[in-house]
């Protein structure tokens, strides 16, 4: 099964020959590698709802193909009728995870595309929609790859890298964000030694990151979150790469719970701490990390999930925040698809956006 | 079941009426509170071997009562015969966990006691041995209680306290070490809010610490190890208390894996970090933390133990160190039964030992 090709692990792909959406079923990882082949909007709704596809970019791509598949066989005779069917399917798919920003973003973009081409024939509109879904995926791959190249420019071969949670190929069109420098370096013989935090309570590091890196032939070692300090102290880590959920204008970064702790350890040990952030996650309207709301999740994720028996006495209180905020002073650089931002971030992140505006 | 009395949770007790060793079966925690009543050396050997009793002091106490019970019904007619039986039982009990220092320490102390009284009758020697076992337990309780009182002298009421792993009443005669200031404060109405790191991979914080604090009526909240940073940042923590396995002459401290990370976070957030260390764990012959060997444990503890299914792909490498070393510059104070040591530790720890020598 291990063959050194991350392509085999594509989280979301469209099979043009069979007209099927092909999803790697992430609920079965790491024990089983199984691809779902989906044609109906109901099956795609279920895949999103059941988290068989996860990771913001991957969900967006799946939704784009999903809405295309939902209207692909429409027999509507007019744009109005076709548009009606499209909107119904869009609302249905969006209901699978109403709070997933990338899901509604991708569906809205597909709708705008449809409306932009309303003068065309239904058959032509269908083709344009497929192209748009392909574009969404290709753009995501470009973003990831470019982040990886910028990230790699900061690294020497044969170093140790620590990562937290999963910001990898499984969450994106390809490469991931935090793992992209590792994959691109791996293709070029950089021979990194990667340490993956298991990332309690949902174990994305153990189940997903270690899985995909191992699959790609990367030298990966799994550790518990509380072992990051000892591996850094041993001198095994020369860089930390993490993804992010949201970056504020001053560089404060919300990411999976535990990220801020890793950043504090890295500072103590003099190790650079890099955040990989597609510009879509940078919110210049959000002034600082204090403006980022941190969702709390079900206590059972900590005490019961995955286990044969509960691991805490019933009645014991649990605090289970999904994210934390890493202060910008702990971040060595924020790596985007338009370049590398360094402190002071309130300035450098604005410059990144001006580059983005020029290019687009 | 919750009644605010930690006495109910005595890990090791001797029932004089029935002549039974009473052990709280810690392998069933946190789901079941069951006491074993043991009389034979075989059943006590098994309890130690199966980790039904754990924690260095608790094992020592169990072994002391165990060797007493092993020879209590001896019909030996001479000291030589009695001593022979004693040594056989001692070797047998010691084989349950040959690397547990407190096990052999307690058994050796019992043997020395026997030999000191060799001129007495067998019946008298048996009585002296029971008294010695009781003394071992009472001395441990004195050590724990005294550490708790010194620790409490550093604290204000109503504060938040974070702890890592289990250094509680379950591991000792009573009170524990790191949890002792909490229990003693609790008895005096200090109303602490305690946060317990779950402590991967073996989850002693979830299974044991949260259990025993909740049982004693302490306000305890369970968190994953990687949530220590966010609870500190929120201002919920005013002190950290941890136990230790070994303290070097310069104050470097080996304790459960993850402790050094907690200390680094505490430093970042300006929170005092206290190590509770019976003088028996302070090794002035060990110069620095670099001289402390860190044992690596079975990778399956990380990937498989407790889980319904493996949480990492087979073949993925795992690093699973049992301890880490916290540098002395991160430690605000080391609290012993002979007083509180502060930096410079190479001086203050020696002073602690000179107080100990004077008192004993």
């Amino acid at each position: 099964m291990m063959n050194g090709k991350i392509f085999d692990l594509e989280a979301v792909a469209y099979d043009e020959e069979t007209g099927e959406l092909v999803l790697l079923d992430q609920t079965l990882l790491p024990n089983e590698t199984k691809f779902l082949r989906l044609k109906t909007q109901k099956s795609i709704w279920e895949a999103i709802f059941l988290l068989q596809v996860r990771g913001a970019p991957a969900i967006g791509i799946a939704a784009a193909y999903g809405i295309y598949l939902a209207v692909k066989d429409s027999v509507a005779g007019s744009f109005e009728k076709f548009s009606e069917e499209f909107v119904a399917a869009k609302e249905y798919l969006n209901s699978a995870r109403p709070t997933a920003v990338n899901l509604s973003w991708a569906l809205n973009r597909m709708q705008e595309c449809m409306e932009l081409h309303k003068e065309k024939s239904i058959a032509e509109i269908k083709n344009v929609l497929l192209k748009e879904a392909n574009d969404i995926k290709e753009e995501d791959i470009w973003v990831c790859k470019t982040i990886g190249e910028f990230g790699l420019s900061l690294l020497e071969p044969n170093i140790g890298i620590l990562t937290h949670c999963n910001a990898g190929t499984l969450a994106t069109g390809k490469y991931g964000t935090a793992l992209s420098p590792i994959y691109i370096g791996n293709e070029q013989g950089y021979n990194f030694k990667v340490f993956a935090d298991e990332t309690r309570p949902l174990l994305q590091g153990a189940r997903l990151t270690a899985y995909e890196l191992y699959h790609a032939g990367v030298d990966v070692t799994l550790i518990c979150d509380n072992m990051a300090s000892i591996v850094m102290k041993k001198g095994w880590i020369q860089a930390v790469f993490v993804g992010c959920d949201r970056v504020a204008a001053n560089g404060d970064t919300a990411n999976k719970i535990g990220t801020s702790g890793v950043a504090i350890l890295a500072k103590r040990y003099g190790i650079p701490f890099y955040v990989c952030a597609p510009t879509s996650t940078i919110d210049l309207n959000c002034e600082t990390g204090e403006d980022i709301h941190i969702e709390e999740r079900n206590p059972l994720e900590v005490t019961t999930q995955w286990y044969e028996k509960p691991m805490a006495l019933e009645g014991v209180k649990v605090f289970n925040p999904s994210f934390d905020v890493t202060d910008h002073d702990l971040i060595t650089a924020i790596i985007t698809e338009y370049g590398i931002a360094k402190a002071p971030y309130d300035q450098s992140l604005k410059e990144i956006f001006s580059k983005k505006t020029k290019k687009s």
Side-chain angles (χ1 to χ4, degrees), chain A:
Chain A
M1 193 180 117
M2 300 302 112
N3 53 16
K5 294 186 206 156
I6 58 165
F7 250 119
D8 289 356
L9 282 187
E10 262 191 311
V12 193
Y14 181 68
D15 186 333
E16 299 247 4
E17 278 179 35
T18 61
E20 289 167 324
L21 179 63
V22 185
L23 297 182
L24 175 58
D25 185 349
Q26 301 198 30
T27 61
L28 302 178
L29 297 180
N31 296 302
E32 200 180 331
T33 301
K34 184 182 157 190
F35 290 90
L36 306 167
R37 303 189 74 90
L38 310 175
K39 279 188 160 179
T40 67
Q41 54 174 319
K42 181 161 183 293
S43 64
I44 294 164
W45 184 95
E46 279 174 358
I48 296 170
F49 178 76
L50 296 173
L51 311 182
Q52 290 172 319
V53 57
R54 39 119 343 245
I59 290 171
I61 297 164
Y65 286 118
I67 188 78
Y68 164 70
L69 283 170
V71 298
K72 169 176 167 279
D73 297 324
S74 164
V75 293
S78 68
F79 177 78
E80 285 63 34
K81 180 78 181 84
F82 182 78
S83 170
E84 218 171 79
E85 289 175 20
F86 183 101
V87 169
K90 179 190 156 193
E91 283 173 10
Y92 174 68
L93 285 172
N94 199 52
S95 72
R97 279 188 77 182
T99 59
V101 174
N102 262 50
L103 176 58
S104 53
W105 168 83
L107 292 170
N108 285 335
R109 179 166 156 178
M110 292 294 281
Q111 183 170 8
E112 282 162 25
C113 169
M114 172 187 74
E115 281 161 6
L116 196 68
H117 296 275
K118 63 193 294 181
E119 305 307 333
K120 294 196 169 132
S121 72
I122 303 293
E124 281 171 320
I125 292 176
K126 288 178 181 174
N127 286 338
V128 167
L129 285 173
L130 176 57
K131 188 180 170 302
E132 190 74 3
N134 284 333
D135 283 355
I136 288 175
K137 180 170 178 181
E138 288 307 316
E139 286 167 24
D140 182 59
I141 294 175
W142 176 81
V143 166
C144 290
K145 190 168 184 203
T146 309
I147 286 174
E149 286 162 349
F150 280 122
L152 190 62
S153 74
L154 301 166
L155 304 177
E156 299 294 320
N158 305 310
I159 64 167
I161 295 174
L162 185 135
T163 188
H164 188 74
C165 197
N166 179 259
T169 204
L170 291 172
T172 60
K174 194 180 163 188
Y175 295 112
T177 53
L179 300 191
S180 185
I182 295 166
Y183 284 125
I184 293 180
N186 198 44
E187 287 173 354
Q188 299 176 22
Y190 267 66
N191 190 32
F192 297 130
K193 281 184 79 72
V194 180
F195 288 79
D197 280 354
E198 65 176 2
T199 318
R200 286 279 296 151
L202 294 183
L203 298 167
Q204 293 93 337
R207 294 186 299 112
L208 308 176
T209 298
Y211 170 92
E212 65 168 83
L213 290 173
Y214 184 76
H215 193 88
V218 174
D219 182 336
V220 60
T221 301
L222 177 64
I223 58 172
C224 296
D225 300 315
N226 64 23
M227 297 165 189
S229 175
I230 193 173
V231 298
M232 289 183 182
K233 191 173 183 185
K234 279 178 173 286
W236 294 351
I237 307 297
Q238 281 69 48
V240 177
F241 279 87
V242 297
C244 63
D245 287 84
R246 199 161 164 210
V247 178
N250 73 341
D252 289 351
T253 294
N255 188 43
K256 183 63 60 205
I257 187 68
T259 303
S260 70
V262 176
I264 292 166
L265 300 181
K267 185 105 175 177
R268 162 87 181 180
Y269 293 112
I271 298 165
F273 181 90
Y274 299 116
V275 171
C276 295
T279 50
S280 60
T281 62
I282 301 172
D283 183 354
L284 295 186
N285 294 319
C286 175
E287 273 185 46
T288 77
E290 293 189 12
D291 303 319
I292 300 174
H293 172 74
I294 304 291
E295 169 202 354
E296 279 185 49
R297 296 179 58 88
N298 193 329
L300 294 177
E301 288 182 354
V302 174
T303 57
T304 303
Q305 187 156 2
W306 321 115
Y307 295 132
E308 284 179 340
K309 287 182 187 174
M311 284 294 135
L313 188 64
E314 211 184 320
V316 167
K317 280 189 288 187
V318 174
F319 177 58
N320 183 22
S322 51
F323 305 109
D324 63 17
V325 173
T326 301
D327 295 335
H328 60 271
D329 71 294
L330 299 167
I331 300 170
T332 311
I334 297 174
I335 303 165
T336 79
E337 73 274 28
Y338 291 101
I340 299 170
K342 294 198 175 184
Y345 290 107
D346 38 12
Q347 239 172 280
S348 61
L349 290 177
K350 270 186 206 147
E351 283 163 23
I352 291 286
F353 272 85
S354 73
K355 282 187 207 167
K356 180 178 183 176
T357 314
K358 269 183 211 156
K359 282 205 186 173
S360 63

